[in-house]
Amino acid sequence: MSRLVVVSNRLADPRKPAAGGLAVALGETLKRTGGVWFGWSGKVVEDGTPGEGALHVSQAGSVTLAELDLCAEDHDAYYRGYANGVLWPVFHYRLDLAHFESGHLGGYRRVNQLFARKLMALLKPDDLIWIHDYHLIPLAAELRAMGCGNRIGFFLHIPLPPQQILAAIPSHEWLMRALFAYDLVGFQTEADLLHFSHYVKAEATAETVGVSQFRAFNSTVQAKAFPIGIDVEDFQRLGCAREARETFETTRKEYSRRRLLIGVDRLDYSKGLPHRIRAFRELLQQYPENRHSATLLQVASPSREDVDAYADIQRELESLCGSINGDYGDFEWMPIRYMHRTVARKRLPGLYRACAVALVTPLRDGMNLVAKEFVAAQDEEDPGVLVLSRFAGAAEQMKEALLVNPYDTHGTAQAIQHALQMPLEERKERHAALLARIREFDVHWWCRSFLQTLEQSRSEA
Ligand code: ADP
Ligand code: F6P
């Protein structure tokens, strides 16, 4: 059996809680398979040298953590500047928020080269390498340039936009060409895969040379959709433990006369938080019977606070929540409880279970694991209802949710009202179908099917 080497920008100790789909999913995968997890240590060295960084190797159970420090200049250009200032907004269809600066691209390349150099020193010839997400798109090309012949797979956790949007990135050809250094490229959805196929055929005159294989730049890459899942059993086990039960009890007791709605997100402009809050205001306005009876609990985990657009969204959200509470709240009832924090993972299932409705309404999302966690945490005899954005990757698999267009405030408010009024039988039917699907396509299915496909694939150089 080959050793698994996972590489991602964000690392997390698999024994500790984390927020963010990638860290949560990979932590759970590696806990089972063992192997190496290589990535940024989270440490920024103020006076370090660009292109250099110390590597710290430690053991966390069966997982070897290899953590690389970055100097401030590299981190700024690679993470804040290029990954989160160009790739994240463009891949989430937000050209208006992208800032193209050539220095940032230089930093992105330099850090990918640094990752490649440090990783090469740790690799064994038959290691299976699995690289994750937009921070590290050119990593395989850098490894190949250093002579790495291992099988290398790549999974993009975020959406891949259509060709016309991708083409706005000044270095888009270089970026997309880098994908051909992989043996296998995985996307979250069939829609993302279609965008890849259109792009490479139009911009790189790629040919399809077999089932899901694309040939261009003298290389062949296999590309497929592998929708990421959660560890349903593990999450349900967490839901039976003391902390989750306590959270359920205290939340139900505190809000005994209320119907609860829940939102759990990183505080990110892609999550559509202001749109969601406006839809909730519309609900209170259009359906006044919800005043005094419905409360929205919104937990937003601090994220990327050094990127300007994130500070803007935080201010907008605080002001919206404040104005709705001011307009509608009174001594007995506040419509919104907004918390700018990360909830302990062991409490999450209890919180989800205490709520009648989940609002998962991103403007664009690769998958969205919160949608799946909410379903997994419900009481099958009295389940809550999922209101899900049609623009979340999860919508491709979760058609029994109430699918909404988050830009349509009125339509979203109507869907929330529908969710609050839904009869028990319909709730049970929808929930059973959703639960069966997230069980079938859980995180183990995702990991197994990606790695099996990778093991069987070989790129022709
Ligand atoms: P993303 O990867 O963009 O953050 P996902 O919904 O796919 O979005 O994954 C988010 C993960 O992080 C989920 O496992 C979720 O439970 C967790 N998470 C997000 N926000 C919070 C929060 N405020 N508190 C605790 N966990 C959170
Ligand atoms: O899942 C998408 C993602 O961008 C991951 O790559 C990332 O780890 C997570 O969201 C959280 O973002 P960050 O690592 O920038 O804090």
Side-chain angles (χ1 to χ4, degrees):
M1 263 272 284
S2 303
R3 183 176 67 155
L4 178 61
V5 176
V6 166
V7 190
S8 61
N9 171 66
R10 180 70 65 185
L11 270 184
D13 184 330
R15 296 164 303 188
K16 293 188 189 149
L22 182 147
V24 170
L26 289 182
E28 283 170 8
T29 296
L30 271 166
K31 244 192 306 190
R32 296 213 168 196
T33 59
V36 178
W37 194 355
F38 185 104
W40 171 46
S41 63
K43 190 169 160 201
V44 176
V45 181
E46 281 311 321
D47 52 357
T49 312
E52 301 292 337
L55 185 70
H56 312 275
V57 180
S58 63
Q59 201 62 32
S62 59
V63 182
T64 305
L65 294 175
E67 304 177 79
L68 183 59
D69 297 341
L70 292 178
C71 77
E73 193 178 323
D74 279 352
H75 179 259
D76 187 60
Y78 148 81
Y79 177 78
R80 190 192 61 80
Y82 200 74
N84 289 319
V86 174
L87 299 180
W88 181 272
V90 174
F91 281 36
H92 286 85
Y93 299 57
R94 292 296 303 268
L95 292 177
D96 59 316
L97 295 178
H99 297 286
F100 305 109
E101 280 178 44
S102 57
H104 292 162
L105 176 60
Y108 181 72
R109 284 179 161 175
R110 197 164 59 236
V111 170
N112 271 272
Q113 282 160 354
L114 171 65
F115 265 61
R117 256 195 346 267
K118 297 285 181 177
L119 184 59
M120 273 302 271
L122 297 181
L123 288 178
K124 297 178 184 167
D126 66 340
D127 282 345
L128 201 58
I129 307 172
W130 192 4
I131 296 171
H132 292 263
D133 235 357
Y134 58 104
H135 315 86
L136 300 173
I137 292 172
L139 183 53
E142 298 297 349
L143 287 167
R144 298 284 187 227
M146 293 173 192
C148 176
N150 297 53
R151 253 164 300 175
I152 316 182
F154 176 77
F155 186 80
L156 185 68
H157 288 254
I158 66 175
L160 188 78
Q163 178 212 351
Q164 292 290 355
I165 293 182
L166 263 181
I169 301 177
S171 49
H172 64 100
E173 299 95 343
W174 168 78
L175 204 61
M176 296 300 282
R177 183 191 183 116
L179 289 176
F180 282 78
Y182 291 95
D183 296 287
L184 174 65
V185 171
F187 296 105
Q188 295 277 25
T189 65
E190 295 296 334
D192 299 325
L193 178 62
L194 203 63
H195 295 155
F196 174 76
S197 165
H198 281 159
Y199 178 95
V200 296
K201 286 180 183 164
E203 302 274 342
T205 56
E207 295 171 354
T208 22
V209 289
V211 182
S212 64
Q213 289 202 315
F214 298 84
R215 184 155 184 86
F217 314 112
N218 278 336
S219 297
T220 302
V221 67
Q222 188 172 2
K224 279 186 79 172
F226 299 90
I228 197 169
I230 62 164
D231 187 333
V232 177
E233 262 177 46
D234 193 61
F235 201 70
Q236 291 187 331
R237 217 172 297 124
L238 209 59
C240 297
R242 183 178 54 81
E243 290 87 349
R245 282 190 283 114
E246 264 174 22
T247 305
F248 173 80
E249 297 296 342
T250 48
T251 312
R252 284 300 343 147
K253 202 159 141 204
E254 182 170 356
Y255 297 95
S256 56
R257 291 178 299 117
R258 315 261 185 251
R259 310 291 308 285
L260 291 179
L261 300 95
I262 180 102
V264 173
D265 311 76
R266 272 184 312 101
L267 183 39
D268 193 297
Y269 52 81
S270 64
K271 303 291 178 187
L273 294 167
H275 295 71
R276 181 184 305 170
I277 302 296
R278 282 194 287 269
F280 185 65
R281 179 172 56 195
E282 177 90 2
L283 174 90
L284 299 179
Q285 206 160 352
Q286 295 294 326
Y287 306 98
E289 66 269 31
N290 292 305
R291 295 182 200 167
H292 284 267
S293 77
T295 298
L296 170 60
L297 307 179
Q298 176 62 57
V299 201
S301 168
S303 187
R304 305 177 195 163
E305 290 178 313
D306 49 350
V307 179
D308 292 346
Y310 287 74
D312 295 345
I313 196 87
Q314 181 181 345
R315 272 192 299 274
E316 188 183 354
L317 192 59
E318 283 167 359
S319 131
L320 261 172
C321 292
S323 85
I324 294 172
N325 280 344
D327 289 346
Y328 289 93
D330 60 24
F331 290 112
E332 272 92 50
W333 169 69
M334 275 297 145
I336 305 180
R337 288 281 285 263
Y338 165 64
M339 290 149 275
H340 186 209
R341 72 171 60 123
T342 304
V343 181
R345 191 154 180 80
K346 52 192 178 204
R347 302 221 166 261
L348 266 182
L351 194 58
Y352 289 137
R353 198 180 177 102
C355 296
V357 176
L359 302 182
V360 179
T361 53
L363 302 179
R364 197 60 65 175
D365 212 330
M367 176 53 59
N368 198 293
L369 296 181
V370 171
K372 298 185 173 183
E373 291 170 354
F374 178 76
V375 169
Q378 294 309 299
D379 173 355
E380 290 180 44
E381 295 310 314
D382 185 16
V385 180
L386 174 63
V387 174
L388 177 62
S389 163
R390 57 174 295 171
F391 303 124
E396 243 183 39
Q397 289 179 305
M398 303 182 84
K399 299 276 186 238
E400 295 82 1
L402 294 183
L403 295 185
V404 296
N405 167 7
Y407 294 95
D408 174 2
T409 309
H410 183 69
T412 306
Q414 274 181 329
I416 301 174
Q417 176 69 354
H418 180 184
L420 286 166
Q421 308 259 305
M422 192 180 285
L424 178 63
E425 270 321 298
E426 184 181 347
R427 281 192 276 130
K428 280 166 80 173
E429 261 171 44
R430 288 178 185 266
H431 175 261
L434 289 170
L435 185 61
R437 194 129 345 96
I438 64 166
R439 272 203 177 119
E440 185 177 352
F441 299 102
D442 66 357
V443 73
H444 308 298
W445 170 88
W446 172 73
C447 186
R448 213 172 39 242
S449 52
F450 186 94
L451 292 175
Q452 274 170 6
T453 315
L454 177 59
E455 271 179 338
Q456 286 156 11
S457 69
R458 272 252 71 133
S459 73
E460 297 152 26

